[in-house]
Amino acid sequence: MNAFGRLFRISIVGESHGPAVGVVIDGVPAGLPLSADDFAVDIERRKGGLQKGTTPRKEDDFPLFQTGLFNGHATGAPMTIFFENKNTRSGDYEKQRAVPRPGHADMVAHQKFGGYEDFRGGGHFSGRLTVGLVAAGVVAKKILGDISVKASILEIGGEPDIEKGLQKAIDAKDSIGGIVECRVSGLPAGMGEPFFDSVESLLAHAVFAIPAIRGVEFGSGFAAARMFGVEHNDAIENVSGKTRTNHAGGVVGGITNGNELVFRIAVKPTSSTPKEQLTLNWETGQQEEFSVKGRHDLCIALRVPVVLEAVTAAVLADLLLQVNAVPRVWKS
Amino acid sequence: MNAFGRLFRISIVGESHGPAVGVVIDGVPAGLPLSADDFAVDIERRKGGLQKGTTPRKEDDFPLFQTGLFNGHATGAPMTIFFENKNTRSGDYEKQRAVPRPGHADMVAHQKFGGYEDFRGGGHFSGRLTVGLVAAGVVAKKILGDISVKASILEIGGEPDIEKGLQKAIDAKDSIGGIVECRVSGLPAGMGEPFFDSVESLLAHAVFAIPAIRGVEFGSGFAAARMFGVEHNDAIENVSGKTRTNHAGGVVGGITNGNELVFRIAVKPTSSTPKEQLTLNWETGQQEEFSVKGRHDLCIALRVPVVLEAVTAAVLADLLLQVNAVPRVWKS
Amino acid sequence: MNAFGRLFRISIVGESHGPAVGVVIDGVPAGLPLSADDFAVDIERRKGGLQKGTTPRKEDDFPLFQTGLFNGHATGAPMTIFFENKNTRSGDYEKQRAVPRPGHADMVAHQKFGGYEDFRGGGHFSGRLTVGLVAAGVVAKKILGDISVKASILEIGGEPDIEKGLQKAIDAKDSIGGIVECRVSGLPAGMGEPFFDSVESLLAHAVFAIPAIRGVEFGSGFAAARMFGVEHNDAIENVSGKTRTNHAGGVVGGITNGNELVFRIAVKPTSSTPKEQLTLNWETGQQEEFSVKGRHDLCIALRVPVVLEAVTAAVLADLLLQVNAVPRVWKS
Amino acid sequence: MNAFGRLFRISIVGESHGPAVGVVIDGVPAGLPLSADDFAVDIERRKGGLQKGTTPRKEDDFPLFQTGLFNGHATGAPMTIFFENKNTRSGDYEKQRAVPRPGHADMVAHQKFGGYEDFRGGGHFSGRLTVGLVAAGVVAKKILGDISVKASILEIGGEPDIEKGLQKAIDAKDSIGGIVECRVSGLPAGMGEPFFDSVESLLAHAVFAIPAIRGVEFGSGFAAARMFGVEHNDAIENVSGKTRTNHAGGVVGGITNGNELVFRIAVKPTSSTPKEQLTLNWETGQQEEFSVKGRHDLCIALRVPVVLEAVTAAVLADLLLQVNAVPRVWKS
């Protein structure tokens, strides 16, 4: 199922070259104030159009409220937000039907859906779908109120100086990966449930819904595997649960402990690279040379932060609702 | 909710020092042959009792089938497997009620459950609960048939020579972390759904239900963030989807591609370390010195592989049922 | 949550006087052939426009496939079907904002959503939403193949002669209720799960999602409460499970037994009646006379059969997928 | 899946002649006070042992708290309550393996589970499982606080004088059905969601998990199908939503309206009747005479009220948690 959440539940729908992509959000508190303007900044951040290394495909991406909004407030009924696909050039893809692009979902989609998948531009698997996630994130952030969710690039191609990382890719005429960190401050302690609904379980579940993510780590993460216990443990300083260090990244036993929530994700290099590659032609059954046409990002990681914030905010909004920390009818 | 899965659904219940811990499994195909003997090897692997660095607490851990098994076969009704807690010494914990152990869930449990949590030995948060996961894994592995799920230690304390890693901890009189890898061969292509039910989402969700896990990465994982596109992409070699390399770790676009599934997890050092640490006394409101009494693991990572196999097998059994790859009534 | 189903999951969205109403269907088997033409008959049946006693509001109700359909086949990704609301006259409702219509959801919507509900024409509570259910039913019926789902009016206002029942209402210048029966033939035995996923539980859950339903009964239903055991029990005649009588209505122990599935629902009289009624004005806090303006059905039961077929087909499609009785990739 | 609920989730497990039956409850607020004594009255009501027409099988039915209870309070972790099966005489059933009892689930269980079902005494399909429901009801009623849930017999065999109804069965040497009504007072307005999570949908779902139920109706129910609109509509009297009449049974548009919740269920006659009946012998493939041995109820409806209260209370506890009307940490 392409849906996630218990009390704040989001479903994303659509295909890259279909009429539209969008999101259905069930569980938005009635009365939450919302306007198209609220979406502008995050939608724009996702486009990444001004950054070196991001795709030239341009969409207006104006949010069309189909349901659940009335007189500038959430009604309490499911909210549907659509984004039209205007700027599509399907011809790019149809010519290459039998030649799955390396690193893309073309081959698995074909295997799973028996050839009925919408293959144009990656269809339902396209990163285009993340605009729906971003829209859900805008709504979720409103629910979070003063809780701040901020994601930023830590490194590109191993370089903390991001310009340098991008230049490596440009020089190599190739695409490149990166690492993104998310920090959430202001969270109450006690969110999450032991084991299967641990905060890490829920966040990781949501994070891996973002295309191109290959890893996630909380607090010290993989570095913790090389630490001694006394190094990793965070000393509790007061009854609010504040710790001196934060190797746990704000989650212990699957539950938030009131400190800053910190986690990082690994983003693989954009699958579409200008370089020549080998792939299969499933009609001939032979491998053949492949080189990407069309519009693509040099470094998809650049566009990930706002999407990461969005899924994080969605998970946290759900948890806040579950622990009664936010009301069902909003007081604007 | 402490439950996970759509068609093969597991719930773990119990507390470290209560009468029992166990698992309820809903969706076991009727007719699946099972006996207590089937559980012996994995239950023993979880104890880790013979390994240097593992806890001396000993439990018989004999599986008590309360429901869902009849004449040596699954009935198709929910299966309940319990394990008695015999070897408990609660006095160890009651004395230190107001002093949450650093790195443990004592403090967050107190914050979340308002003091009503069963605090003895970590209560419901205890690693003791993983015996239920292992039991579910035994059942799931039977469903997987020829599909092989194998987890192993990659390094302890940064050392691929595991003995050396343990010795570092012994020398430091401290606990230590490690990295565990899981490999699954024989999986069909096409399992998983795009976005929220991606294979990575489901596996990561389940993996973070295991205590002490701080990160998960698939295929090249975090290293992918430093790779160029042409390095990371796996060239497809034939119509079955076999790729020459496997940087994707067997999952593309959230869907299995028929290659080996490969992922790794980071295990933090055991929270209970023999070293002195600082923590809070919430009665006095002051920090105080804390030193661990009781029985504990030097390196909890040593006991993780069988638990990792278990949750992995459970997720895959669910997915196999969802794609009709295994029958609902077993042909023994 | 306004969603239902495990493997075939439907969500209905929209408001009576918003831009559109629609349905999202997750789990449609890839390859299922679908065209707008497939929807025409059932959409038309729902309108009931030619029948005496049905509303004069006319909508084109042309299905707009936003996602999940490509080249005339389901893609396997979530399918979104929208229906534009063109024929709205909101002014009818805005004037009477503070005067909840008796029998309608106006008052409870106000209580639940704190005044933020879209109150025009019942908003999200409107029977208009059932067009999305009907669309889901068209898709579900395709999955059912040779299994036949047929609902029909049993009586109107207590009269098996339906014209006579309607005439009673016309004579009384009032609206009137009715009883609708659904019969499903060709179902395999063994669908459903004991207790919470019993076939009756799932069908009743879905049936009460239809507005105006006040009761549901399976097989002999309420009459069974007045029968002796030997009268009610159905004698099994052969190894396929065929029974001589069918007082059970095709479900025993919550599981289909391979006989015809038979159940009935009670539909209340249309809440909007031409008669004068007393209701509250919540601004004045006083009761006042109320008389309906606008377009309404004399007998909503007349339009229910196709909606009842739809939710029934949706539940059964889900169950067929769960018992592996239909494929995930359709062979057209 | 044999589980139900979103925030207060219950699963029932076990077989009639296995070691035990029981219930797992996820979502009990931490701190809720509970003792075995709390269960005595409802467990005793379910036995119905003193009433004419109820089964002589006697079980102690002492609740064994396996998990989730500590020092007399819920811990917030999943609660497991088991009831041992002591008083079993499996020999009664094994002799008749190939002869499914008319009206029972023996045949469908065989069809669904391929012969692997625990057939002794109905196995997992047995009414014995309802003791777990009753236990969950005791917990749920505590959460409901001052909200009162009361179910009572309305008629037996069509007779409002229940003794007379039972006598009819005794005279006929047969079993007999009945009707049970449930009334809930003190519910807040605004519980439930439009359409798929309507209060009627959720209650009906839960109600049909009780064995032998053949119908459910809310408020005027089936009688509404014969009413005019002006008769059925309830005039709202004040801003709290109180209505003069209560034909709606306290639910409008799927949402509670603050009036008394009223619904009725039809219970079929006990399937096991002393009368001779015809059934199939699936070994011979022939029909044969069947007459019940063993201990059975003359009128199962007599034992239903407490079970109906239990599932009703469970659904309402879940809804109260969803609308934040009860706390997650209980103040005793």
Side-chain angles (χ1 to χ4, degrees), chain B residues 65-138:
Chain B
F65 297 96
Q66 297 295 299
T67 75
L69 192 79
F70 180 53
N71 289 341
H73 295 267
T75 62
M79 184 176 289
T80 309
I81 309 173
F82 264 30
F83 298 87
E84 290 182 8
N85 292 326
K86 294 173 171 168
N87 201 344
T88 57
R89 283 190 265 154
S90 303
D92 293 2
Y93 301 94
E94 282 164 11
K95 277 176 287 185
Q96 300 249 326
R97 178 71 178 111
V99 184
R101 297 166 299 163
H104 282 280
D106 301 349
M107 184 72 183
V108 293
H110 196 69
Q111 289 171 309
K112 183 174 185 68
F113 298 122
Y116 293 108
E117 71 280 4
D118 181 347
F119 53 81
R120 300 166 301 167
H124 183 58
F125 289 86
S126 168
R128 172 87 185 120
L129 273 278
T130 59
V131 69
L133 295 177
V134 169
V138 170

Side-chain angles (χ1 to χ4, degrees), chain A residues 213-229:
Chain A
I213 307 308
R214 308 310 297 149
V216 61
E217 58 176 14
F218 292 83
S220 297
F222 276 85
R226 302 182 172 192
M227 289 165 84
F228 290 118

